[in-house]
Amino acid sequence: MRGGGSLFRSLLKAIWHAFTALDVDKSGKVSKSQLKVLSHNLCTVMKIPHDPVSLEEHFRDDDEGPVSNQGYMPYLNRFILDKVQDNFDRIDFNRMCWTLCARKNLNRNHLLISDDDAFKIWCIFNFLSEDRYPLVMVSEEIEYFLRKQTEAMGGSWIEEKFEEYKLQLSSKHQCLNVWELIELVGMGHFSKGMDRQTLSMGINEVFQELILDVLKQGYMMKKGHKRKNWTERWFLLKPNLISYYASEDLTEKKGDILLDGNCCVESLPDKEGKKCLFYVKCSDKSFEISASDKKKKQEWIQAIQTCITLLKVGRPAPHHEARQKRRELRQKQQAEQEELELRMRELQTANENKQRELEAMRKKLEEAAANAAEEERRRLQTQSELQDLYRVEMDKEKMVRQQMEEQVAQKSSELEQYLQRVRELENMYHRLEEALEEERQARQDEETVRKLQARLLEEEVSKRAELEQIHLYQQETISQTQAEKQELERERLAKESALQSAMQQLQQLEADRRGALEQYEEVMKKLADAANNTKSWKDKVVYHEGLMRLIQPGPKHPQKITNWGPAAFTEKELSLREKDWQEKKNRPPTPQ
């Protein structure tokens, strides 16, 4: 179904609203139980066989916690959207998604519209919103919708009022979400002076055009095919058919006129007392129709011809094509704007680089000029100083010449002192060499001690490494001991749990045994009572023994047959009982 393009995008937008409504804490995730219900409802309303196991199989590795929108999308594409055929009622589908999201987000306070009108605005928003998430409607589409609604209500569009509103939108990036759009229309900001019924009719007309693809509708007379009589019908023009109903409430549909590229529509002259006639010729039938006036006739002919032309070239409905053109134009303008901004940034960057280079050159020139001025000042100052110094030196040279002559004699004596000092310095040099030799020897001794310290340090490092190995072994041993201790603790807890379970079972068995014992005692008591009752009954029978006695097993003699069946005694027993009875009867009564 993803190849379907616009159907896929429209379904995905509605499902996005439902998923977002289930995301209560706005974390981008929904519980799997809610996704199961959502998936089942989607499959039901879109007439797709629902596989309840597929969701569990798909999220088998994500059993804990909720599922994000990105995690639900592969399942939605594979098990639902890829199986969708265009054979379901899109209005029912939209109403299901609307019910999920409206319960949470729709604020009905101060709204002048009904819930059904809000649902229609929600559908229009999904049709006109951009194909990016979260869904928003840009200012151009907002103006398009409000302009069509105003025209449907019979009002006049005020461009200045919308421009003022656009200035308020600038802080919101020139776009609205669906609930802001419903509030904008429902509060009547652009329908001042209109009553609620007019506002509802305007919303319904835009909804029928954009969502139900109703390009034109109205009452016209249609000539019957069998009776050839003229009947008023309510006609609905869609891109590929003309439906006609008994009335505008659309409860009784009378038929469809299927349109294709081979159909044609032409005007007819007035006849049979009917005016403003035209007919629609299809491959199998022709339909004669009478409009109310010439203007309506021309409008219907032009609208039907437009649909036939679009079907011939395979183009979508006008509002779909207009929406696509607006989007392409926005995308082109956005690309041009981005390219312009990129070029402006590049030019600005180049300009800034040039400015920096010019500023650097200006600073260098200023520094060079300052350096040249400073050099010139220094040169002049140096020249003046040299001239002064030259004069001073000349004066000094004269004085020095005189002093040199005076010092020649003094130098001779100083020369002897100097030679003496040289000899002293030579002696000091020899002593210095001896001191250097001693220092060299001391350095060698120091190097020997340093090597010894290095060897000791290496031994200390190796000892420390051994100690660290021993420490690590001890740590591993301690960790292993702790792990074993934890394992023993777990086994002890498991055994305690098993012991408790066994104790509970033992207690249950004990309770069952006591119950069985009580039942046994009750049965024994009943048996004893029954035995007592039987004994009492036997005693009464023996006491009143006469013609009736206990039926006991008797001898296998031939039984006496009475009117009531086999007797309980034989002929011999009967004679004995009669004899005993006669004796008791003849016996005189005992005196009292």
Side-chain angles (χ1 to χ4, degrees):
M1 196 279 295
R2 276 178 281 183
S6 87
L7 177 59
F8 173 79
R9 289 192 294 271
S10 63
L11 296 180
L12 195 59
K13 287 181 179 180
I15 296 172
W16 177 84
H17 283 295
F19 184 94
T20 306
L22 296 177
D23 180 13
V24 179
D25 54 0
K26 297 182 179 180
S27 62
K29 295 184 177 181
V30 176
S31 65
K32 285 174 62 178
S33 60
Q34 291 177 313
L35 290 182
K36 288 179 182 178
V37 177
L38 175 61
S39 302
H40 182 269
N41 290 337
L42 289 175
C43 291
T44 301
V45 77
M46 291 192 289
K47 300 180 181 179
I48 301 172
H50 181 55
D51 184 6
V53 182
S54 59
L55 185 67
E56 294 292 343
E57 292 293 329
H58 186 77
F59 295 107
R60 183 186 301 171
D61 299 332
D62 191 15
D63 288 336
E64 298 181 0
V67 179
S68 67
N69 187 16
Q70 291 80 5
Y72 183 59
M73 277 302 298
Y75 169 81
L76 182 66
N77 288 331
R78 178 181 176 186
F79 295 100
I80 298 180
L81 296 182
D82 281 352
K83 300 178 182 179
V84 169
Q85 303 294 329
D86 197 4
N87 60 347
F88 63 95
D89 191 335
R90 296 193 196 179
I91 300 300
D92 290 343
F93 167 79
N94 284 328
R95 282 199 181 277
M96 187 273 292
C97 296
W98 159 258
T99 303
L100 290 176
C101 63
R103 187 183 303 117
K104 174 185 175 183
N105 298 294
L106 182 61
N107 183 11
R108 296 173 174 82
N109 297 330
H110 310 296
L111 290 182
L112 303 176
I113 58 176
S114 63
D115 285 0
D116 186 60
D117 292 334
F119 163 71
K120 292 175 181 178
I121 297 174
W122 182 81
C123 295
I124 294 170
F125 172 88
N126 290 340
F127 176 76
L128 296 177
S129 61
E130 300 298 295
D131 293 334
R132 62 175 184 269
Y133 297 89
L135 293 176
V136 293
M137 184 187 292
V138 297
S139 60
E140 182 183 355
E141 299 296 335
I142 297 172
E143 180 181 4
Y144 172 78
F145 168 54
L146 294 176
R147 186 188 293 271
K148 290 192 75 67
Q149 180 191 354
T150 304
E151 293 173 355
M153 293 187 298
S156 57
W157 177 251
I158 304 175
E159 190 74 29
E160 294 78 9
K161 187 175 181 180
F162 185 75
E163 291 299 327
E164 292 177 1
Y165 180 73
K166 281 178 65 176
L167 294 177
Q168 300 175 7
L169 282 178
S170 59
S171 60
K172 299 181 181 179
H173 308 290
Q174 297 287 320
C175 59
L176 292 178
N177 62 33
V178 62
W179 311 113
E180 292 171 339
L181 180 66
I182 292 174
E183 182 179 2
L184 175 67
V185 178
M187 297 290 286
H189 292 293
F190 287 89
S191 58
K192 299 294 184 181
M194 301 287 182
D195 56 14
R196 295 191 177 192
Q197 185 178 1
T198 304
L199 179 59
S200 178
M201 290 176 60
I203 295 172
N204 183 61
E205 185 171 334
V206 178
F207 173 79
Q208 287 188 340
E209 178 182 352
L210 299 184
I211 306 304
L212 302 182
D213 291 337
V214 177
L215 305 180
K216 191 168 182 59
Q217 57 185 333
Y219 279 109
M220 290 190 295
M221 302 294 290
K222 173 186 170 296
K223 186 176 182 180
H225 285 88
K226 294 181 179 179
R227 298 182 181 179
K228 305 298 181 181
N229 59 335
W230 290 87
T231 309
E232 186 178 45
R233 300 294 184 212
W234 177 263
F235 285 82
L236 288 181
L237 174 61
K238 294 187 178 182
N240 58 347
L241 62 86
I242 304 173
S243 301
Y244 50 95
Y245 300 80
S247 61
E248 59 183 307
D249 58 7
L250 308 182
T251 56
E252 185 181 354
K253 188 174 185 179
K254 291 299 183 178
D256 291 322
I257 303 174
L258 300 179
L259 301 178
D260 55 33
N262 297 322
C263 295
C264 67
V265 55
E266 294 182 4
S267 177
L268 289 176
D270 298 343
K271 64 178 181 178
E272 300 176 5
K274 296 296 180 182
K275 298 182 179 181
C276 305
L277 295 174
F278 66 93
Y279 77 99
V280 180
K281 184 178 180 182
C282 299
S283 58
D284 54 347
K285 287 183 181 180
S286 295
F287 300 85
E288 294 186 19
I289 301 172
S290 172
S292 58
D293 54 50
K294 292 183 179 180
K295 181 181 178 182
K296 295 289 185 183
K297 169 186 173 181
Q298 192 60 34
E299 289 177 354
W300 275 98
I301 292 175
Q302 185 175 357
I304 297 172
Q305 185 61 52
T306 301
C307 292
I308 295 172
T309 303
L310 293 176
L311 289 172
K312 283 182 179 180
V313 297
R315 288 165 56 185
H319 55 278
H320 286 276
E321 188 174 11
R323 179 192 62 174
Q324 186 62 29
K325 286 183 178 179
R326 291 195 304 273
R327 287 185 178 177
E328 291 175 355
L329 180 60
R330 280 199 302 276
Q331 292 173 358
K332 182 179 178 181
Q333 291 175 348
Q334 184 178 0
E336 292 176 353
Q337 181 69 21
E338 291 176 355
E339 183 179 359
L340 181 60
E341 290 177 356
L342 179 61
R343 291 185 60 187
M344 289 296 294
R345 285 195 296 269
E346 291 175 353
L347 291 174
Q348 184 176 0
T349 303
N351 187 26
E352 290 175 355
N353 293 334
K354 288 292 184 182
Q355 290 290 339
R356 285 194 292 269
E357 291 177 0
L358 291 174
E359 185 66 20
M361 291 178 64
R362 185 183 63 80
K363 290 181 179 179
K364 287 181 180 179
L365 290 174
E366 291 178 353
E367 291 176 359
N371 292 335
E374 182 66 20
E375 287 293 332
E376 182 65 19
R377 187 185 64 77
R378 289 178 182 177
R379 188 184 64 78
L380 294 175
Q381 183 179 358
T382 303
Q383 185 178 1
S384 177
E385 289 175 355
L386 287 174
Q387 290 177 355
D388 294 340
L389 183 61
Y390 180 72
R391 286 193 295 271
V392 173
E393 289 294 331
M394 289 294 291
D395 295 338
K396 285 182 179 180
E397 185 179 355
K398 291 179 181 179
M399 295 177 63
V400 167
R401 187 178 296 171
Q402 293 175 359
Q403 291 175 358
M404 288 295 291
E405 291 176 354
E406 293 175 355
Q407 292 176 358
V408 168
Q410 185 179 354
K411 291 295 182 182
S412 297
S413 60
E414 290 178 357
L415 179 60
E416 186 62 29
Q417 295 176 359
Y418 175 75
L419 293 174
Q420 183 64 31
R421 184 65 182 269
V422 168
R423 287 192 291 272
E424 293 176 356
L425 289 174
E426 288 177 353
N427 293 332
M428 289 177 65
Y429 175 73
H430 291 306
R431 289 197 297 273
L432 181 61
E433 284 183 347
E434 293 174 358
L436 288 174
E437 184 65 26
E438 292 175 357
E439 182 180 0
R440 190 180 299 110
Q441 187 64 35
R443 285 182 181 277
Q444 292 177 357
D445 296 340
E446 181 183 2
E447 184 67 24
T448 303
V449 173
R450 186 180 291 110
K451 290 180 179 179
L452 179 60
Q453 289 178 347
R455 191 180 73 242
L456 292 175
L457 182 61
E458 290 177 356
E459 293 177 357
E460 182 181 357
V461 169
S462 63
K463 290 293 184 182
R464 182 171 295 175
E466 292 177 1
L467 289 174
E468 289 180 354
Q469 292 292 332
I470 294 171
H471 179 68
L472 291 174
Y473 177 73
Q474 291 177 349
Q475 291 293 331
E476 293 176 356
T477 305
I478 291 171
S479 301
Q480 185 176 3
T481 304
Q482 290 178 352
E484 293 175 354
K485 187 182 291 183
Q486 293 175 357
E487 183 65 27
L488 291 174
E489 183 65 19
R490 285 195 295 271
E491 291 179 358
R492 183 183 67 79
L493 293 174
K495 290 179 178 179
E496 286 183 357
S497 176
L499 180 59
Q500 291 177 0
S501 177
M503 290 297 292
Q504 292 176 357
Q505 295 178 0
L506 182 59
Q507 292 174 0
Q508 183 65 31
L509 291 173
E510 183 66 23
D512 295 342
R513 186 186 67 77
R514 286 197 297 270
L517 184 59
E518 291 174 358
Q519 294 178 359
Y520 174 74
E521 291 176 353
E522 184 177 353
V523 171
M524 292 300 295
K525 184 178 179 181
K526 289 181 179 180
L527 288 174
D529 292 341
N532 292 333
N533 292 334
T534 304
K535 183 178 180 182
S536 175
W537 180 72
K538 285 181 179 181
D539 292 341
K540 288 179 181 180
V541 170
V542 171
Y543 181 75
H544 296 286
E545 185 175 5
L547 292 177
M548 184 177 74
R549 66 182 183 85
L550 287 174
I551 301 174
Q552 297 176 350
K556 298 182 180 179
H557 300 298
Q559 291 182 334
K560 181 177 179 64
I561 302 301
T562 67
N563 293 332
W564 297 278
F569 41 78
T570 62
E571 290 284 347
K572 185 178 181 180
E573 289 175 344
L574 181 60
S575 62
L576 289 176
R577 288 180 182 276
E578 288 179 353
K579 184 178 180 180
D580 186 48
W581 179 74
Q582 287 292 338
E583 288 177 356
K584 288 181 180 180
K585 182 178 179 183
N586 297 327
R587 188 183 302 163
T590 304
Q592 299 292 328

